[in-house]
Amino acid sequence: MLNRLSIKTKLVFIMLTYSLLANLVVGTLGWWNSRETLVDATVQQLNTLRKAKAREIEAYFTGLEDQLWSLSQSGTVIEAAVRLDRAFRQLQTEQIPDNWRSELKTYYTAQFLPKLFETLPGDADYELYRPSGQAAEYLQYHYIVANPEDEESRLLLPQAADESEYSELHASFHPYFSNVLKRFAFEDIKLVGLTSGDVVYSVAKKVDFGNYLLPGPFARSSLAAAFKTIRDNPDRGTSLYVDFDLYRPDYGHPAAFVAAPIFNGSHPVAVIVLQLSTEAINQIMTSGQNWEDIGLGKSGETFLVGTDQLMRSDSRLLIEDPTGFLAAIQQTGLPERNIGLIQRSLSSVLYQNIDTSTVQAALNGQQGYAFVDNYYGVAVISSYQPIQGAGSRWALLAEIREAEALQPFYTLQNRLLVLSVLLEIVFAFSAIWIANWLVRPIDKLVSSARIVDAGDLNAELQPSSQDEIGELTKSLAGIVSDLRGYQHDLEARNHELERLSLTILPTLFVPSVHKGVTQFTENSQQVTILLATVQGVESLTSDSDQEQFPLIFNELASQLDDHERQDDIEKF
């Protein structure tokens, strides 16, 4: 097929093909290198943020241990644990009026239990949750039911309106514990009698206040598990973390605990328990909701996942766009109950399941990065590592949407595509111009060759360059010049041949001979052949008559020529 194309077309085709291939190779390499460079930069940034958050979380839990150790060694705390425990036991003999019990039941059935079972499944059975013991009833009545402050401000009450020794001690120690709680952002601080298992003091005054932990209505709670572990192993200076779980006394909200024994001298007398909420961890993981300020753009986030594959910090999308988050997770197959809990609590902690490959890898002790679909089905770049949090291994992840992270690359890709098209157009025009420039001498040479081929040897062949085409033009000009010489010689010989033919042959036969006819006949009405024989020539050639012979012969020839002209005789 290419053999049918002109040289100019072939040149244009070849140049465009090579320019397209070069453009494709260079563009592909540039595309790949720019993408890899951008991915590397994004991953580096995510890794840096991930490691920074890991240090912050580890520092947070290390700080908790230090604070817990300081509190457990504080003389004020030791004194409060001993004296409040003693005063608490005195309340076990108090007579509880029926109206107090009635108001307690009303509080549980009308306020606490309905709100609790908005979050957790189960039956709102008061008998399962009623205060365990007279001291619990007494304290819950005075500090919860009869508290003039609302539920969120109960800790503002320093002393109940009774005259018990407990309330006097409470008024003495409560400001100290309240200040510690506010300063370090704990959810609650609890003192539990080591031998009795009673929650003898609580800053926040939830329904676990005053209750038995073992046994009791919250015997299967994470608080009870923390207390039991410390009670069974009350070593000085030890502490225990219990990971986040849904804590019923706090309406099923997520709560974690860190506990340590309190020693009075050499004897363990109580357990101090710090209740942790998700707020402090969320503050760390969201950087105070200033994601863009730390380089996470419009969609990036850092978050934690526990060994149960449930979140330990809130989702950025849930914080910024609850409606969009709920719509997204409905497409992921998350159970409707979990979606409802997230919608009511506006928190994804312990409700949002994440089982991506990066979470699994981090929980298995690995670290790195990968391109995955996140927990609400969007493609992200995910950087991951394990950390030690709340007594168990957590996965810490820093993620950003792939579309946002690679947006500069996609913009560059579109620009490269447009530039490539424009370059190809420029290359096309350039190829046509170059082909015309290169082929122009060839076209002139071909035109001259056609003129020569038509028999005109006067065609002008002047080389216009010093390259191969110029050399070819010179060679062809030499050939044409030689042909002119041959033609001139041929014409001269033809002229001489014609002259000789006219001398030898009859005029009638000469044109036929020139046409190459070797055998021919001509019709004529009358032909006379005259044969003249000259005799006696030998005698004229004797020595005595040699001078007369040419004169006689010439005279004879002259007479014959005269007869030829007069009588239309052709001699041959």
Side-chain angles (χ1 to χ4, degrees):
M1 179 179 178
L2 291 177
N3 292 332
R4 300 178 182 178
L5 301 178
S6 66
I7 292 178
K8 181 171 73 173
T9 304
K10 290 177 182 177
L11 284 174
V12 172
F13 177 76
I14 291 171
M15 285 188 285
L16 285 179
T17 300
Y18 278 103
S19 69
L20 182 62
L21 289 174
N23 206 358
L24 184 62
V25 171
V26 173
T28 300
L29 291 176
W31 178 87
W32 179 259
N33 288 335
S34 61
R35 185 180 188 276
E36 288 300 299
T37 300
L38 188 57
V39 168
D40 289 344
T42 301
V43 169
Q44 183 64 35
Q45 185 177 21
L46 290 176
N47 288 344
T48 301
L49 287 171
R50 165 176 57 81
K51 293 174 183 178
K53 293 302 178 185
R55 288 192 294 269
E56 289 184 63
I57 290 294
E58 290 169 354
Y60 169 71
F61 283 110
T62 300
L64 284 178
E65 292 181 5
D66 294 339
Q67 293 158 15
L68 183 64
W69 185 86
S70 297
L71 288 171
S72 67
Q73 302 300 312
S74 168
T76 301
V77 173
I78 295 171
E79 181 183 1
V82 172
R83 298 182 66 183
L84 286 170
D85 182 66
R86 185 184 303 118
F88 182 88
R89 287 199 299 272
Q90 292 175 1
L91 295 177
Q92 296 286 27
T93 60
E94 287 287 335
Q95 295 296 319
I96 306 301
D98 291 339
N99 64 311
W100 289 11
R101 287 196 170 103
S102 177
E103 290 183 45
L104 274 170
K105 183 175 182 180
T106 299
Y107 167 77
Y108 272 84
T109 57
Q111 296 185 47
F112 174 72
L113 293 176
K115 189 174 180 180
L116 171 63
F117 290 110
E118 288 179 358
T119 303
L120 298 178
D123 298 325
D125 187 351
Y126 172 67
E127 294 303 321
L128 295 176
Y129 292 91
R130 66 180 300 170
S132 55
Q134 290 170 258
E137 291 178 316
Y138 183 95
L139 292 176
Q140 286 195 17
Y141 174 78
H142 284 288
Y143 286 92
I144 295 178
V145 176
N147 194 322
E149 305 290 344
D150 60 28
E151 184 173 359
E152 298 299 325
S153 303
R154 287 173 185 163
L155 57 81
L156 298 179
L157 180 64
Q159 183 175 2
D162 67 336
E163 296 180 356
S164 65
E165 181 184 358
Y166 183 92
S167 291
E168 291 180 359
L169 292 172
H170 187 280
S172 175
F173 295 114
H174 184 70
Y176 171 80
F177 287 107
S178 295
N179 289 334
V180 172
L181 182 139
K182 292 177 183 178
R183 180 180 178 185
F184 297 107
F186 300 135
E187 186 70 16
D188 196 7
I189 300 174
K190 308 176 193 296
L191 298 178
V192 184
L194 187 67
T195 57
S196 65
D198 297 315
V199 181
V200 299
Y201 174 77
S202 167
V203 177
K205 304 301 187 294
K206 303 293 184 180
V207 295
D208 54 5
F209 177 42
N211 268 307
Y212 298 134
L213 292 181
L214 298 171
F218 307 115
R220 291 184 294 177
S221 68
S222 51
L223 173 63
F227 165 74
K228 183 176 184 300
T229 302
I230 293 296
R231 184 198 65 180
D232 295 343
N233 301 278
D235 297 328
R236 188 187 293 273
T238 61
S239 60
L240 173 72
Y241 283 104
V242 177
D243 200 354
F244 282 94
D245 198 1
L246 301 179
Y247 188 53
R248 289 178 182 267
D250 200 12
Y251 300 108
H253 294 154
F257 298 95
V258 56
I262 299 174
F263 280 77
N264 184 17
S266 60
H267 303 288
V269 294
V271 175
I272 182 171
V273 182
L274 306 180
Q275 180 178 335
L276 312 177
S277 71
T278 59
E279 291 183 8
I281 292 177
N282 275 334
Q283 183 69 18
I284 294 172
M285 300 308 295
T286 67
S287 297
Q289 301 186 15
N290 295 314
W291 294 279
E292 292 189 45
D293 293 345
I294 61 172
L296 286 172
K298 301 292 184 182
S299 64
E301 63 176 334
T302 55
F303 58 91
L304 298 166
V305 182
T307 54
D308 53 6
Q309 298 182 351
L310 297 176
M311 294 188 78
R312 292 300 191 269
S313 61
D314 281 322
S315 164
R316 174 180 180 176
L317 183 60
L318 176 61
I319 295 172
E320 292 186 327
D321 183 13
T323 302
F325 178 82
L326 293 170
I329 62 174
Q330 285 176 346
Q331 308 300 319
T332 64
L334 190 69
E336 288 296 327
R337 175 179 173 273
N338 289 46
I339 295 175
L341 292 172
I342 293 173
Q343 186 174 13
R344 284 192 293 272
S345 65
L346 291 179
S347 174
S348 58
V349 177
L350 297 182
Y351 303 138
Q352 176 64 55
N353 177 268
I354 305 180
D355 59 354
T356 62
S357 59
T358 51
V359 168
Q360 295 287 355
L363 293 177
N364 289 331
Q366 302 172 23
Q367 65 178 7
Y369 81 94
F371 288 80
V372 297
D373 288 343
N374 70 359
Y375 54 92
Y376 51 88
V378 174
V380 297
I381 303 175
S382 178
S383 176
Y384 58 89
Q385 75 169 81
I387 65 166
Q388 200 68 19
S392 62
R393 176 176 286 174
W394 287 352
L396 191 155
L397 298 97
E399 296 183 348
I400 190 169
R401 292 188 184 185
E402 183 179 338
E404 180 183 5
L406 299 182
Q407 182 58 47
F409 164 73
Y410 295 135
T411 301
L412 177 62
Q413 174 181 272
N414 294 334
R415 290 177 179 174
L416 285 175
L417 182 60
V418 172
L419 181 60
S420 297
V421 172
L422 293 177
L423 284 176
E424 281 305 310
I425 294 173
V426 173
F427 285 150
F429 283 107
S430 300
I432 294 172
W433 184 86
I434 292 172
N436 285 330
W437 178 71
L438 290 174
V439 171
R440 190 177 296 115
I442 299 177
D443 287 341
K444 291 175 64 177
L445 190 61
V446 169
S447 178
S448 299
R450 287 174 179 170
I451 294 174
V452 172
D453 183 61
D456 185 358
L457 298 180
N458 294 318
E460 293 187 5
L461 295 171
Q462 296 295 331
S464 58
S465 63
Q466 301 299 319
D467 55 11
E468 289 82 353
I469 296 176
E471 292 297 323
L472 180 61
T473 304
K474 289 180 180 179
S475 299
L476 186 57
I479 293 172
V480 171
S481 178
D482 292 341
L483 287 176
R484 289 196 194 102
Y486 296 151
Q487 185 183 40
H488 182 269
D489 292 343
L490 183 60
E491 288 176 352
R493 291 186 181 187
N494 285 339
H495 181 72
E496 180 65 20
L497 179 61
E498 184 178 354
R499 188 185 66 79
L500 292 174
S501 298
L502 290 174
T503 303
I504 299 173
L505 296 175
T507 305
L508 183 63
F509 297 155
V510 170
S512 297
V513 172
H514 287 173
K515 292 178 181 178
V517 178
T518 57
Q519 295 181 358
F520 52 85
T521 6
E522 291 290 342
N523 294 325
S524 177
Q525 294 180 353
Q526 183 176 0
V527 177
T528 300
I529 299 176
L530 176 63
L531 177 63
T533 303
V534 180
Q535 297 181 349
V537 175
E538 293 84 356
S539 62
L540 293 177
T541 59
S542 62
D543 295 336
S544 60
D545 296 324
Q546 286 183 355
E547 296 180 356
Q548 298 295 322
F549 177 75
L551 298 175
I552 295 172
F553 187 82
N554 289 337
E555 180 64 24
L556 178 60
S558 176
Q559 292 178 4
L560 287 174
D561 289 338
D562 292 339
H563 285 288
E564 179 185 354
R565 289 190 294 271
Q566 294 173 4
D567 301 326
D568 193 21
I569 298 174
E570 294 182 7
K571 61 181 178 180
F572 59 92

